[in-house]
Amino acid sequence: MEAGTVLHAIPWNPKRKAPFHNFRCFVRASSNSQAPYRRPKPYRNLVADWVSNNDDTVRSSPIFVGGASLLAVLFNRAASGIAPVADASSSQSRADLLTLGLAVTNVLAGLVWLTIRPKSISAVNPQGVECRVISSSLPDFVVSELLWVWESLSAVTCCRSLVAVYDGICILQIGVAAESPNEGEALAVDAAKLMQGSLYQAVMKSGAQSYLANLSLYPGRSELPFLPKNTQAVILQPLGEKGIAIIGGDTIRGFTTSDQAWISFIGEKLDATLGKYVINIPLAVQDRV
């Protein structure tokens, strides 16, 4: 008996479709896509705004509360028919004494609030003369960079005076300066005397920026006689190991943290530029306003 292979015919239908599932995609369009954008409203604390706008009333309110409490205690004492002399055995007398103590505390707190007020800090008008003194030994592009530094600082910070001393010579004095005995002239910077002072020595020793936020509190103020008398704040920025930039401001604590960091970068840039040149020519007046 021969072994055979039996093949079964499979019918082929060209119109038969594969059993794919139909997936439907839905796209939902927003009906208000063309509506204007509404930015979120800033949060406002109404209580804080009211207190800020009525500062005097808020500070004196403990006095009124304490005074009213005293009058209420006296009226209650008189209306209740209790003897005016305090009696330790009476609960009413003990309560009245406690109330009187709280009322007096409120009155004293109101007096303290009216006496102690935060000092308002505002910019002052520097007392001095305008000057513009630049060393004639500097190349034109260095002069342009120094002027750019001055214009930038005076435009975006409270800087009103700028002095730069490099390699023992004052290469720049611009802005408002103290008035010399000769009326109408700016007091020149004595670079040798400045370099012998404690402020200069401390900055050069540390190699870091020094910020005198309230110049009137520092005894080293006398080492900066070329600045206006009412200069409020000063930044001493080292220019590498050979120089220093002195920046005077018209506002107490007027230089922000960002200003200080930016001035540090400016000092590094000026040091890189000025370090390429040796300055041996004395100071000359290029322009005086």
Side-chain angles (χ1 to χ4, degrees):
M1 180 177 181
E2 295 183 0
T5 303
V6 180
L7 300 177
H8 299 279
I10 301 176
W12 178 70
N13 187 1
K15 296 183 180 181
R16 185 178 180 180
K17 296 182 179 180
F20 292 109
H21 297 282
N22 295 329
F23 296 96
R24 296 182 180 180
C25 298
F26 296 92
V27 178
R28 181 177 297 177
S30 177
S31 59
N32 57 350
S33 59
Q34 301 298 329
Y37 170 73
R38 295 181 180 179
R39 61 181 180 180
K41 295 182 178 180
Y43 173 75
R44 294 186 60 186
N45 192 334
L46 299 180
V47 176
D49 293 343
W50 184 87
V51 170
S52 178
N53 296 330
N54 301 272
D55 183 70
D56 293 336
T57 303
V58 174
R59 289 179 179 275
S60 59
S61 60
I63 298 178
F64 296 112
V65 173
S69 301
L70 289 174
L71 294 177
V73 171
L74 296 177
F75 176 78
N76 179 65
R77 190 82 177 180
S80 59
I82 303 176
V85 180
D87 185 6
S89 62
S90 173
S91 59
Q92 181 65 36
S93 297
R94 293 194 296 269
D96 291 343
L97 289 176
L98 180 61
T99 306
L100 287 174
L102 295 176
V104 171
T105 302
N106 278 334
V107 173
L108 294 178
L111 293 175
V112 171
W113 285 8
L114 289 176
T115 303
I116 302 177
R117 293 174 177 269
K119 184 179 180 181
S120 59
I121 299 176
S122 58
V124 300
N125 188 20
Q127 298 176 0
V129 295
E130 292 284 343
C131 72
R132 186 187 180 97
V133 182
I134 304 175
S135 175
S136 61
S137 64
L138 296 175
D140 292 339
F141 75 92
V142 177
V143 173
S144 300
E145 184 170 338
L146 290 173
L147 294 177
W148 169 81
V149 170
W150 160 247
E151 292 173 358
S152 301
L153 291 176
S154 60
V156 301
T157 68
C158 65
C159 172
R160 294 298 174 266
S161 305
L162 176 60
V163 173
V165 176
Y166 197 84
D167 203 16
I169 296 177
C170 178
I171 61 174
L172 175 68
Q173 183 181 12
I174 194 169
V176 183
E179 188 175 0
S180 66
N182 299 327
E183 296 183 0
E185 295 184 3
L187 182 62
V189 179
D190 189 347
K193 186 176 180 180
L194 173 65
M195 296 172 64
Q196 295 174 0
S198 59
L199 292 179
Y200 180 89
Q201 296 293 335
V203 171
M204 300 309 295
K205 182 178 180 179
S206 63
Q209 181 187 98
S210 178
Y211 179 30
L212 310 181
N214 191 351
L215 186 61
S216 61
L217 301 179
Y218 294 89
R221 169 69 177 86
S222 59
E223 300 179 14
L224 308 173
F226 45 83
L227 293 179
K229 295 182 179 180
N230 59 341
T231 300
Q232 303 295 300
V234 167
I235 287 183
L236 304 174
Q237 175 61 45
L239 303 178
E241 299 179 354
K242 294 184 178 181
I244 188 173
I246 302 173
I247 303 168
D250 60 359
T251 308
I252 297 177
R253 294 186 293 275
F255 293 100
T256 64
T257 305
S258 301
D259 296 339
Q260 299 173 45
W262 182 44
I263 292 172
S264 297
F265 288 118
I266 290 179
E268 295 177 0
K269 188 176 186 300
L270 286 178
D271 176 48
T273 302
L274 295 172
K276 302 176 182 178
Y277 302 95
V278 178
I279 304 170
N280 294 320
I281 302 179
L283 181 70
V285 178
Q286 184 187 52
D287 185 13
R288 186 180 297 275
V289 179

